[in-house]
Amino acid sequence: MTACAIEPSAGHEDGEGAEPTGCALSADGAYAARLASAGDSWFPERWTLDGPEPYAVPLPRNQPEEPGTEVQPMADGRVLIHRLVAGRHAFSLLYPTGPGTGELPLGAIECPDAAARLRLLPPAPGGERAYALAVGRRSTAVWRVAGGPSGPEQLAELPGRCSGGVWLDPAGRLLALDRETGGRTKAVVVDLERGGQVSPLLQITADSDDRLLLADHDSGLLIVRSDAPSPGQDRLGWGVLGSTLPVRFPECLRLRDCAVTPFAIQPGQVLTPESCAVALRVDGPAGSWVGVWRPAERRVHHLPAPEGWLAGTGLWTPEGVLRLPYATEVVPCGVAQVSPPGAAVPEPGRESGQETGARTAGTTAAPGHPPEPGPGPGAEPGAEPVPPTPSAPRPVPLQQAPLGRLVTN
């Protein structure tokens, strides 16, 4: 039994949802889309980011959007919009038409299970197709909602409740999902060109919850979250797709009284995953800021976020510049260029990314407090080392899925 069924194209009736946060970036970073506010109303907005200066194009329709409406930019500059309309999930493509906004309805999906939830997956490589995840009580369906031959199409259905969503290849064929079955969560791979064939990806220990957060096509770097080294406490770790080396959990990624969320990996570092810079959103009691970490280092560089940062949104250039979208009253569409310190040369005789029992050598802000703004966008704040916690045993190697041809070890 499928989780949802196709319905004809729907209109613009009211939907329901949570407050919008941040924005979505296209896979190539050329466009962004978000819900912008005008007083108490919301409307879609497209940002163009690949020109000399970023600029925004409002895409309002005949009535305001609901706060829970999802938007996602496509490679051709159109914006996919997902609305909840009378219990159905309606999808359309928006585009500017002179002074107005054009809309191309794509169809709708109806979920018979009232408890089912449907959301857009992260933008797929290439930017020509878009996908959604429908999570029911006992199963999860993967839908192609844009870029198909005729309206929304269900491509796969998995037993269990799935979350996450990370693309593992540049063709947009292999999708990693975090699947909860039997009280445990493990990352699996769904092959969308083989009828949704499912294979295991991440199983650090039999009793751990192992989730995949980010993956880089060029280097094979994987960023994971698991409680394998500290049962009952999630930790950030890293591995390499197709490698037989174990997943590692650096002590420097454990920040006291702070939540750390990776949101971007530096591309273009072919066969050198340890040199990839990873951007982190750090949330403490006093606010949010940006962290930068590389597997080859045992430190996190803490950088002040630009005013109005659309928190958790950003992308790297292959040259190592972090681009952070922001919006303020003075600059309603801006992108801050941040150049973190370069990669440090690993110490002779030391394994990259390995932790020791010594004090953390990384740059850290006071626990729970953002760094003070420095004289430049790449300046580091003052540091206060965070005492380490006892080292945990190294977990078993990363479970290998049939992806070895994608990354050379």
Side-chain angles (χ1 to χ4, degrees):
M1 177 184 296
T2 59
C4 302
I6 297 177
E7 286 292 325
S9 300
H12 314 333
E13 300 172 32
D14 289 345
E16 297 176 356
E19 286 289 310
T21 57
C23 68
L25 297 173
S26 61
D28 61 359
Y31 295 101
R34 69 169 188 145
L35 279 190
S37 63
D40 295 331
S41 63
W42 299 92
F43 62 90
E45 186 176 71
R46 187 197 70 190
W47 290 20
T48 299
L49 305 177
D50 60 351
E53 295 290 338
Y55 65 92
V57 175
L59 297 171
R61 290 296 291 162
N62 298 328
Q63 67 182 51
E65 304 291 347
E66 290 296 316
T69 300
E70 290 185 293
V71 292
Q72 186 173 114
M74 307 296 288
D76 59 6
R78 293 183 294 180
V79 172
L80 174 69
I81 186 165
H82 165 213
R83 303 180 178 104
L84 185 60
V85 182
R88 297 176 297 179
H89 299 270
F91 300 90
S92 296
L93 290 172
L94 305 179
Y95 52 93
T97 57
T101 300
E103 179 168 354
L104 175 63
L106 300 176
I109 300 172
E110 183 174 6
C111 297
D113 185 352
R117 295 292 180 266
L118 189 145
R119 64 173 177 83
L120 292 176
L121 284 165
E128 298 176 354
R129 299 181 297 273
Y131 300 84
L133 200 66
V135 184
R137 299 174 189 269
R138 299 180 180 86
S139 66
T140 299
V142 179
W143 288 77
R144 181 173 55 211
V145 297
S150 58
E153 178 184 1
Q154 181 175 314
L155 303 180
E157 186 170 14
L158 297 71
R161 297 175 59 84
C162 294
S163 58
V166 177
W167 297 100
L168 297 177
D169 67 319
R173 168 183 173 179
L174 302 173
L175 173 66
L177 296 172
D178 302 324
R179 181 172 66 172
E180 179 187 352
T181 56
R184 296 295 176 191
T185 300
K186 303 290 183 184
V188 298
V189 180
V190 182
D191 191 330
L192 299 182
E193 291 188 4
R194 291 189 175 180
Q197 179 181 335
V198 180
S199 56
L201 174 67
L202 190 63
Q203 180 170 304
I204 302 178
T205 69
D207 297 327
S208 59
D209 291 320
D210 310 317
R211 296 174 173 85
L212 179 63
L213 304 183
L214 294 176
D216 176 62
H217 307 150
D218 298 325
S219 64
L221 177 64
L222 305 178
I223 305 299
V224 307
R225 190 185 299 277
S226 173
D227 63 353
S230 306
Q233 298 181 0
D234 284 342
R235 291 183 57 178
L236 291 176
W238 68 281
V240 180
L241 191 64
S243 173
T244 57
L245 294 175
V247 178
R248 304 173 194 177
F249 296 88
E251 293 290 339
C252 64
L253 296 180
R254 304 180 71 182
L255 302 181
R256 191 169 66 245
D257 298 328
C258 294
V260 181
T261 307
F263 64 87
I265 299 179
Q266 180 186 358
Q269 311 304 299
V270 180
L271 305 181
T272 55
E274 295 181 355
S275 65
C276 290
V278 180
L280 313 169
R281 171 181 173 175
V282 185
D283 295 297
S288 302
W289 63 96
V290 180
V292 174
W293 165 80
R294 297 177 180 87
E297 299 178 328
R298 295 183 304 280
R299 59 184 295 172
V300 174
H301 302 281
H302 293 260
L303 310 171
E307 180 185 358
W309 178 39
L310 304 179
T313 305
L315 72 154
W316 290 97
T317 67
E319 296 74 28
V321 177
L322 181 59
R323 308 187 71 204
L324 301 174
Y326 68 93
T328 65
E329 291 185 4
V330 177
V331 183
C333 175
V335 177
Q337 308 276 354
V338 179
S339 297
V345 178
E347 299 177 21
R350 296 194 60 86
E351 183 182 3
S352 297
Q354 185 177 351
E355 299 300 323
T356 70
R359 289 177 64 85
T360 302
T363 305
T364 60
H369 291 77
E372 293 295 331
E380 292 185 44
E384 176 185 322
V386 176
T389 57
S391 298
R394 296 174 70 182
V396 299
L398 185 72
Q399 180 80 10
Q400 292 191 49
L403 306 170
R405 292 188 298 273
L406 297 179
V407 179
T408 302
N409 295 336

